[in-house]
């Protein structure tokens, strides 16, 4: 047998005078590799004293079939080199740590089994996103991160400015003069790449963008992050139904892909994080999503006999408790809710003939609530201009967006899938802070 070289970090070592078992892990998968080091190795005692949990090692040896239980193969070491020591203060000693503690050591938690699994699944999920769209001929568009527009109109923008905060230039009316700022206008980190994706859909047909988005939304929940990743497909010559079909196919594709390619990692989530995970994923794959209009959803909520923390009334936004009731208790499966009241939705959504609702759609899933938000876009210039006026948006600022409706306008539609929320759904991890490498949330931007 030829010798192999394995680099990794020590998970545990147990041994006697005659030999040691060293469990090492290189991050490539959940399973450790067992190394057997015989006491007759050169420098054995000195090396073993330095092989502690967390140390980095380089092992040379023969890969042999294991006679022990728990592994098919093991390495019989001919040489063990300690590359980097870890003393007893290494925080990931073998014992159960709370999620909160692990968040505080976000620079070390990828070395914990559970987080190794989370971030391998995250990587695979990103790959599957591209595969899904590339296989279907969608063009990947890089939309800008710095923008002058507030796509969602919610005013949850992080300002981008290089002005001196202590002594900013002022206009003659005493206001800060952003005309003298870096971009000669007010600019922000983007909340969504949608408006720019629409530009490309109205040229290349089917496109998608996949990148970070930023929201200065002061909601401290387990499902909101201030910096999160979003996948936004946009399709020309497509209506709301085509949009709902794509969202459903996309969510199912991602689940199927992770089940196929990350089976070992899913095991650990099913065992330690969420016992119902495997059944739920199988259930979601097997069934069509329920589709109900917002008006029907309100009727279901009113007929539920529940007392809600936020009362249910036609015209109000669905709150998390309502969304979860629909998906978890009433329909017991993912639900696509469509045709929301125009007053609670952004300016770009297409007005329905009832003049009261717009072609919005949200996909709600059990355990999380909203995972997808999208719509058919208003392609009629006059209606869009009226919407913008109602939302207090200036036609001058959005002249480029209106041009899409002036020249060769087409029905088009798209949505945004929250990448971290999808990751929570496939792993069962309960907090968004634990599926992103370094979470940014109100009051917290360490690392
Ligand atoms: O519903 P949202 O706000 O929709 C848009 O931004 C549209 N412009 C998308 C489009 O039509 N192209 O956000 C889309 C999704 C939500 O359904 C949710 O999954 C996720 O993005 N999301 C968040 N994820 C984590 N933290 C937050 N603060 C999020 N806000 C939205
Ligand atoms: Mg939404």
């Amino acid at each position: 047998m030829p010798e192999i070289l394995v680099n990794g970090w020590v998970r545990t070592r147990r041994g006697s005078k005659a030999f040691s078992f060293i469990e090492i892990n290189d991050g490539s998968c959940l399973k450790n590799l067992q190394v057997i080091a015989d006491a007759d190795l050169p420098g054995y005692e000195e090396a073993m004293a330095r092989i502690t949990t967390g140390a980095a090692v380089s092992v040379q040896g023969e890969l042999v079939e294991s006679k022990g239980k728990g592994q098919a193969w093991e390495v019989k070491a001919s040489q063990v080199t300690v590359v980097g020591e870890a003393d007893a203060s290494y925080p990931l000693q073998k014992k159960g740590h709370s999620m909160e503690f692990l968040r505080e050591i976000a620079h070390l938690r990828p070395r914990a089994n559970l987080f190794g699994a989370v971030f391998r699944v995250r990587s695979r999920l990103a790959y599957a996103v591209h595969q899904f769209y590339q296989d279907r001929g969608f063009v990947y568009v890089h939309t800008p991160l710095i923008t002058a527009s507030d796509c969602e109109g919610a005013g949850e923008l992080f300002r981008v400015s290089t002005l001196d905060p202590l002594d900013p230039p002022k206009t003659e009316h005493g206001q800060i003069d952003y005309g003298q700022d870096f971009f000669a206008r007010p600019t922000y980190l983007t909340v969504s790449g949608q408006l720019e994706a629409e530009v490309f859909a109205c040229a290349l047909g089917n496109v998608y963008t996949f990148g970070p988005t930023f929201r200065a939304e002061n909601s401290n929940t387990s499902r909101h992050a201030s910096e999160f990743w979003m996948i936004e497909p946009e399709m020309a010559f497509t209506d709301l139904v085509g949009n709902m079909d794509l969202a459903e196919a996309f969510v199912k594709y991602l689940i199927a892909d992770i089940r196929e390619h990350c089976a070992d990692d899913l095991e650990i989530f099913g065992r330690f994080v969420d016992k119902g995970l495997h059944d739920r994923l199988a259930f979601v794959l097997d069934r069509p999503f329920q589709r109900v209009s917002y008006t029907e959803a309100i009727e279901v909520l009113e007929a539920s006999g529940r007392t809600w923390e936020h009362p249910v009334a036609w015209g109000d936004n669905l709150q998390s408790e309502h969304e979860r009731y629909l998906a978890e208790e009433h329909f017991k499966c993912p639900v696509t809710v469509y045709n929301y009241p125009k007053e609670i939705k952004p300016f770009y959504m297409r007005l329905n003939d009832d003049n009261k609702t717009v072609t919005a759609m949200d996909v709600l899933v059990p355990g999380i609530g909203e995972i997808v938000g999208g719509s058919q876009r208003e392609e009629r210039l006059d209606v869009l201009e009226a919407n913008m006026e109602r939302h207090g948006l200036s036609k001058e600022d959005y002249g480029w967006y209106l041009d899409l409706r002036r020249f060769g306008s087409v029905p088009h539609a798209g949505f945004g899938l929250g990448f971290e929320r999808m990751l929570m759904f496939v792993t069962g991890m309960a907090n968004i802070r634990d599926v992103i490498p370094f979470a940014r949330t109100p009051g917290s931007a360490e690392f």
Side-chain angles (χ1 to χ4, degrees), residues 304-445:
S304 69
R306 291 282 172 113
T307 36
W308 303 104
E309 199 181 314
H310 303 88
V312 175
W314 198 99
D316 289 350
N317 255 318
L318 296 182
Q319 300 296 322
S320 178
E321 56 174 333
H322 310 136
E323 296 179 339
R324 294 189 60 170
Y325 174 81
L326 292 170
E328 286 162 30
E329 296 182 50
H330 188 81
F331 294 110
K332 296 193 166 64
C333 70
V335 184
T336 309
V337 182
Y338 60 92
N339 288 351
Y340 283 71
K342 65 178 180 188
E343 280 77 18
I344 57 173
K345 290 293 179 184
F347 74 96
Y348 54 73
M349 293 189 180
R350 191 178 197 279
L351 187 64
N352 283 314
D353 291 343
D354 62 11
N355 213 6
K356 283 181 357 203
T357 61
V358 288
T359 53
M361 61 142 204
D362 279 1
V363 177
L364 318 176
V365 296
I368 294 175
E370 180 191 337
I371 197 164
V372 164
S375 68
Q376 186 177 335
R377 321 305 187 188
E378 185 54 75
E379 86 284 9
R380 297 161 296 186
L381 181 63
D382 53 337
V383 185
L384 181 58
E385 284 180 337
N387 286 353
M388 287 176 62
E389 207 165 300
R390 201 157 46 80
H391 282 89
L393 297 174
S394 111
K395 282 191 229 167
E396 289 67 50
D397 288 349
Y398 290 86
W400 58 274
Y401 189 71
L402 292 167
D403 269 356
L404 301 178
R405 280 75 182 167
R406 285 194 187 102
F407 310 116
S409 187
V410 291
H412 59 288
F415 61 81
L417 171 80
F419 186 62
E420 284 76 19
R421 291 202 187 164
M422 187 65 208
L423 204 49
M424 291 169 73
F425 190 65
V426 295
T427 60
M429 295 292 284
N431 197 308
I432 198 166
R433 293 165 180 79
D434 300 328
V435 295
I436 191 163
F438 301 100
R440 273 80 181 93
T441 50
S444 167

Side-chain angles (χ1 to χ4, degrees), residues 28-284:
S28 59
C29 67
L30 193 62
K31 291 207 175 75
N32 298 330
L33 183 66
Q34 176 164 286
V35 174
I36 300 182
D38 263 324
D40 54 19
L41 283 179
Y44 175 80
E45 274 187 21
E46 189 253 352
M48 291 309 124
R50 297 164 66 218
I51 294 190
T52 52
T53 299
V57 292
S58 206
V59 175
Q60 218 165 309
E62 218 180 297
L63 188 67
V64 295
E65 273 183 58
S66 174
K67 293 187 202 83
K69 279 202 203 117
Q71 67 279 318
W73 299 91
E74 62 196 12
V75 171
K76 206 171 166 330
S78 59
Q79 198 185 334
V80 179
T81 311
V82 180
V83 179
E85 294 180 13
D87 68 19
S89 67
Y90 178 62
L92 292 174
Q93 304 292 340
K94 227 191 163 188
K95 61 180 174 207
H97 294 294
S98 72
M99 291 293 185
E100 289 76 14
F101 172 74
L102 290 166
R103 256 169 239 153
E104 286 168 18
I105 52 163
H107 58 301
L108 294 173
R109 72 176 179 172
R111 299 192 204 174
N113 286 338
L114 184 66
F115 284 91
V118 166
F119 294 116
R120 279 188 299 270
V121 172
R122 187 177 168 111
S123 168
R124 177 71 212 187
L125 194 67
Y127 183 74
V129 164
H130 286 294
Q131 210 159 41
F132 177 84
Y133 289 109
Q134 296 286 337
D135 284 353
R136 283 161 184 74
F138 283 60
V139 175
Y140 181 28
V141 178
H142 295 108
T143 50
L145 299 191
I146 298 174
T147 172
S149 45
D150 179 5
C151 175
E152 295 307 292
E156 294 161 347
L157 300 159
F158 287 104
R159 185 181 289 286
V160 175
S161 171
T162 55
L163 293 180
D164 178 357
L166 292 178
D167 185 23
K170 299 272 176 65
T171 64
E172 56 192 64
H173 306 296
Q175 271 148 354
I176 295 179
D177 184 5
Y178 288 106
Q180 294 186 47
D181 204 345
F182 190 90
F183 296 107
R185 63 191 306 161
T187 48
Y188 314 92
L189 295 178
T190 190
V191 296
S192 161
Q194 177 199 321
L195 302 184
E196 293 89 351
E198 282 184 57
V199 169
F200 276 77
C202 293
L204 305 181
N206 292 342
V207 303
Y208 69 107
T209 173
F210 179 13
T213 48
F214 309 87
R215 298 200 184 177
E217 181 182 8
N218 206 349
S219 40
N220 236 315
T221 80
S222 58
R223 294 182 301 278
H224 288 87
S226 314
E227 176 180 301
F228 64 98
W229 286 61
M230 186 158 47
I231 301 105
E232 296 181 274
E234 191 71 32
M235 298 173 286
F237 304 99
T238 300
D239 62 9
L240 184 67
V241 175
N243 205 26
M244 293 198 276
D245 290 345
L246 185 79
E248 183 169 338
F250 181 37
V251 167
K252 286 182 170 167
Y253 178 93
L254 295 179
I255 294 171
D257 183 276
I258 293 302
R259 288 215 317 173
E260 186 183 341
H261 292 101
C262 300
D264 279 357
D265 287 329
L266 281 195
E267 250 336 280
I268 191 175
F269 301 120
R271 211 143 26 103
F272 297 112
V273 175
D274 180 354
K275 297 248 186 308
L277 180 69
H278 297 295
D279 289 345
R280 196 166 59 250
L281 295 181
F283 182 89
V284 168

